[in-house]
Amino acid sequence: MFNAAPFNLQYFNESQAVASEALVGEIVYNGYTLHQTSDIRLNFTNHYDGPRVEAKNYLLPWSDWGVLESYLFRERTVIFRWSLSKPTSEELIAEMEQMKKLLCVPDQTLQVYIWSEPRRARAYLRNPDNIFQREHYHITRQPFTLEFVILSPFWESVNYTSKSYTVSTSLTEEIYNLWSAKTKPKVTLVFAAASSTNSINFTMWNKSIVISNTINAWDIVIIDAENYEVSYNGVLIDFDWVFPEIWLDSNPYTIVINGTFTVTASIQWKTKFI
């Protein structure tokens, strides 16, 4: 029986792989669902790991010691190993072609679940030349490996956290970032009234954005640190200084506006994770 179908062709080599863990939710890239489907099973994932670290050291020539000059998070590589099963060989090959079509599109959203939360990042597939390692006995089941590169070192939440205030004077508040990585704010200012208003200063820690523009009632100004742009009524405008960042724990900030005004100030951010 060892040389016949039950051992070499089916029950031993072709048995369904047992998943090493059961993830809650879906793993998706470019709209293609790779987990919790009837024909794809996950065998291995390293998406719980952190990003690559780039550390620079300086060895002191007069001492036994060295100095850590910098410690920075860089890109991360996320590896998945799966098995794909279909009722027929024709259906298997057709699904493999569909996978290549969708997974080889670069700079798309990769979504995973950690705990019960979806987390996302922009990614691209690094190994389109080595996804499927075909063997003669892969008839209705095909193991495959996907290696995604994420240039941003952090996963981010799907939804924004947001706070809003309606004020007629300068605003002084703070944001608590209780997670594991710094993130960037997006500030939206909707003016219900404005008179002699031509300056906006948004400061968090030692970084500020200064906007010099004449503001009228119902104008909208958006300071988007995530995309490094400032817009006035939907049109990109110039600004001075640099975009603030939200670090861990408490982050005090101020929004100072001159003139007489009534404004609804909304600040939102996505939680990010190492």
Side-chain angles (χ1 to χ4, degrees), residues 64-248:
D64 294 330
W65 314 111
V67 176
L68 180 64
E69 293 184 325
S70 65
Y71 183 91
L72 300 172
F73 293 118
R74 297 305 187 190
E75 83 287 345
R76 70 170 73 219
T77 300
V78 183
I79 300 174
F80 301 106
R81 299 192 186 105
W82 323 73
S83 60
L84 170 66
S85 300
K86 286 292 183 180
T88 67
S89 176
E90 290 77 12
E91 291 177 274
L92 179 70
I93 294 174
E95 189 65 28
M96 290 165 59
E97 291 300 306
Q98 177 70 1
M99 289 172 63
K100 289 190 292 183
K101 173 184 176 182
L102 295 175
L103 299 180
C104 291
V105 179
D107 195 26
Q108 300 298 309
T109 297
L110 174 65
Q111 175 180 289
V112 300
Y113 268 73
I114 296 178
W115 294 328
S116 60
E117 286 189 46
R119 300 182 184 181
R120 293 178 178 174
R122 303 292 289 185
Y124 67 89
L125 184 67
R126 185 170 68 179
N127 69 318
D129 60 328
N130 193 32
I131 299 175
F132 308 107
Q133 296 185 1
R134 295 284 286 164
E135 300 287 352
H136 68 278
Y137 48 79
H138 291 152
I139 300 171
T140 59
R141 188 182 75 87
Q142 175 62 54
F144 65 98
T145 300
L146 301 176
E147 296 183 14
F148 291 102
V149 176
I150 300 172
L151 295 180
S152 166
F154 307 122
W155 295 109
E156 66 179 24
S157 60
V158 174
N159 298 315
Y160 283 96
T161 300
S162 181
K163 291 186 175 181
S164 295
Y165 309 89
T166 300
V167 295
S168 298
T169 60
S170 298
L171 176 66
T172 300
E173 279 292 340
E174 60 184 336
I175 291 172
Y176 287 93
N177 180 16
L178 303 179
W179 294 97
S180 56
K182 65 181 180 180
T183 185
K184 297 178 180 180
K186 180 178 180 180
V187 177
T188 301
L189 304 173
V190 180
F191 289 86
S195 176
S196 302
T197 300
N198 57 17
S199 176
I200 301 170
N201 185 312
F202 169 50
T203 299
M204 181 176 287
W205 295 114
N206 62 341
K207 295 182 178 180
S208 299
I209 290 289
V210 178
I211 302 165
S212 299
N213 244 68
T214 299
I215 305 297
N216 300 303
W218 305 117
D219 284 346
I220 299 175
V221 176
I222 298 176
I223 302 169
D224 187 348
E226 190 70 45
N227 295 302
Y228 301 102
E229 60 186 30
V230 175
S231 65
Y232 170 77
N233 293 335
V235 178
L236 296 182
I237 60 173
D238 292 331
F239 55 89
D240 295 319
W241 296 12
V242 293
F243 286 98
E245 294 178 313
I246 300 173
W247 291 83
L248 299 183

Side-chain angles (χ1 to χ4, degrees), residues 11-69:
Y11 292 100
F12 187 82
N13 288 331
E14 282 296 300
S15 61
Q16 185 71 281
V18 177
S20 61
E21 61 180 317
L23 299 183
V24 178
E26 297 176 344
I27 298 173
V28 181
Y29 180 78
N30 191 25
Y32 187 89
T33 301
L34 287 157
H35 187 58
Q36 288 202 341
T37 68
S38 60
D39 49 13
I40 297 178
R41 293 293 181 267
L42 177 64
N43 305 320
F44 169 82
T45 171
N46 72 337
H47 72 263
Y48 292 100
D49 293 343
R52 180 179 67 86
V53 166
E54 180 183 275
K56 291 186 179 181
N57 305 317
Y58 176 71
L59 299 179
L60 300 175
W62 59 86
S63 171
D64 294 330
W65 314 111
V67 176
L68 180 64
E69 293 184 325

